Amino acid sequence: MVNLTDIKEAAERVRTIARITPLLDVTALAGRSLLLKCESMQPGGAFKIRGAYNMVARLTPEQRALGVVTYSSGNHGQAMALAARELGAPAVVVMPTTAPAIKVEGARAFGAEVIFAGTTSSDRKARAEQEASSRGLTMVPPFDHDWIIAGQGTLGLELLQQRPDVETVLVPVGGGGLLAGVAAAIKQTRPAVRVIGVEPAGAAAMKASLAQGHAVTLDKTASVADGLMPVRPGDLTFAHAQQYVDEVITVEDDQIIDAVLWLFTKAKVVAEPSGAATVAAALAGLVSGSGPLVAIVSGGNIGLDKLEELRKQRAQA
């Protein structure tokens, strides 16, 4: 399990590249206590740089010289590509054939070789493992590794410094790396703060796993939030969620789309669907309490074409 020392050491490691992102108070707009932790403003457009850089920086010079590989729906791939470029390592990113163009272009812009493999996380994981074996590359997994979790946990420490009186933190959940890291940081520092994970209803693998008492694999996932669709949480991320997370709740795709559009038109924040799931939960009134509520906006990699597509979709509903 990741401890506070791991997370504090990661914070020192990533501070040269990860920004201290703003915490915007949008209470007046939302009609309830709501603050946005804008990780969409990180290099690469998502929180993922924290974990990816922490891991690549911890590799040996020999490992970095040979190169790194990962499998990703987009944001982790971009983050690893950026970390690899900054640390002098060749990078290979395996993405789904359905990956948004803005995320593919982002990874390539940071110097990564992009390979496409299937549409599921298991498809791209298998291809990434094949590339790692044949080329001698080091795998930088998207969520289920203690170095990745510790890097993501730096967000939790930062948030507590910015808002010591926070009552509840909403964290989006895909594979669970961000949830694991943030929960570990917060609960080991201020146990009274509630940490709630938010998943799409069509991809609620962590909620199902917590209900069963062990990590489970869903038959399939479907959601507008492409970054929150693993069919199974990681073993490590699940263990952290079991120990530190108060609750995991779900939101519908329509609620996520409404949150994306609300953030863009009202709060003037650009968020992709995966990054807006937490805001969807807050706006839908799914979280109780009157104290300071922080929603982590985890990513902002969305093109204008996709925004317009979502707007039209909701207008026709």
Side-chain angles (χ1 to χ4, degrees):
M1 300 291 283
V2 171
N3 60 42
L4 266 182
T5 299
D6 297 327
I7 298 169
K8 289 176 179 177
E9 289 176 353
E12 281 299 305
R13 211 170 279 120
V14 307
R15 65 186 179 87
T16 58
I17 192 165
R19 296 173 182 143
I20 297 174
T21 53
L23 191 61
L24 302 182
D25 192 336
V26 294
T27 297
L29 293 171
R32 63 155 301 160
S33 172
L34 182 59
L35 299 103
L36 308 176
K37 180 59 171 161
C38 297
E39 286 292 291
S40 49
M41 298 180 70
Q42 286 290 3
F47 74 94
K48 291 283 193 176
I49 190 61
R50 296 175 182 270
Y53 192 89
N54 186 54
M55 181 159 185
V56 178
R58 293 195 66 174
L59 300 179
T60 66
E62 293 76 19
Q63 288 173 315
R64 288 201 294 269
L66 286 170
V68 291
V69 62
T70 196
Y71 50 99
S72 167
S73 63
N75 285 341
H76 175 68
Q78 290 185 87
M80 191 205 71
L82 173 56
R85 187 189 73 181
E86 294 299 303
L87 293 163
V92 178
V93 180
V94 181
M95 289 185 170
T97 56
T98 53
I102 191 171
K103 296 182 179 182
V104 176
E105 292 161 6
R108 285 177 173 155
F110 291 133
E113 174 190 347
V114 175
I115 296 171
F116 297 101
T119 58
T120 69
S121 55
S122 56
D123 290 335
R124 50 189 180 269
K125 180 182 180 183
R127 180 61 187 274
E129 289 171 343
Q130 178 186 330
E131 296 296 325
S133 176
S134 64
R135 300 201 213 181
L137 307 173
T138 297
M139 181 73 75
V140 180
F143 47 82
D144 206 34
H145 193 288
D146 53 348
W147 295 353
I148 297 289
I149 292 170
Q152 318 306 23
T154 63
L155 193 163
L157 292 185
E158 185 175 298
L159 197 160
L160 290 177
Q161 291 167 357
Q162 291 174 307
R163 193 72 193 227
D165 63 337
V166 62
E167 179 180 281
T168 305
V169 179
L170 299 180
V171 189
V173 187
L178 181 62
L179 180 66
V182 168
I186 288 176
K187 291 294 187 177
Q188 292 178 77
T189 307
R190 291 196 52 217
V193 177
R194 287 193 301 165
V195 179
I196 298 176
V198 182
E199 287 184 303
M206 185 66 83
K207 185 176 178 67
S209 297
L210 290 171
Q212 293 290 326
H214 60 88
V216 301
T217 302
L218 303 179
D219 292 335
K220 62 180 179 178
T221 56
S223 176
V224 69
D226 67 283
L228 306 181
M229 289 174 55
V231 296
R232 185 186 189 279
D235 294 324
L236 264 181
T237 61
F238 171 72
H240 283 76
Q242 262 194 322
Q243 180 160 337
Y244 295 121
V245 174
D246 294 283
E247 184 183 4
V248 174
I249 60 178
T250 62
V251 287
E252 300 294 335
D253 272 9
D254 285 351
Q255 293 172 318
I256 293 174
I257 296 170
D258 286 344
V260 169
L261 300 175
W262 183 87
L263 284 164
F264 188 75
T265 58
K266 302 294 186 183
K268 311 306 178 187
V269 171
V270 177
E272 63 192 89
S274 302
T278 54
V279 179
L283 295 179
L286 302 181
V287 185
S288 62
S290 57
L293 171 67
V294 173
I296 296 174
V297 179
S298 56
N301 286 308
I302 185 170
L304 290 173
D305 55 340
K306 184 63 176 180
L307 272 173
E308 179 61 12
E309 178 187 320
L310 295 178
R311 186 194 67 79
K312 287 180 178 178
Q313 183 176 330
R314 291 305 285 141
Q316 293 166 2

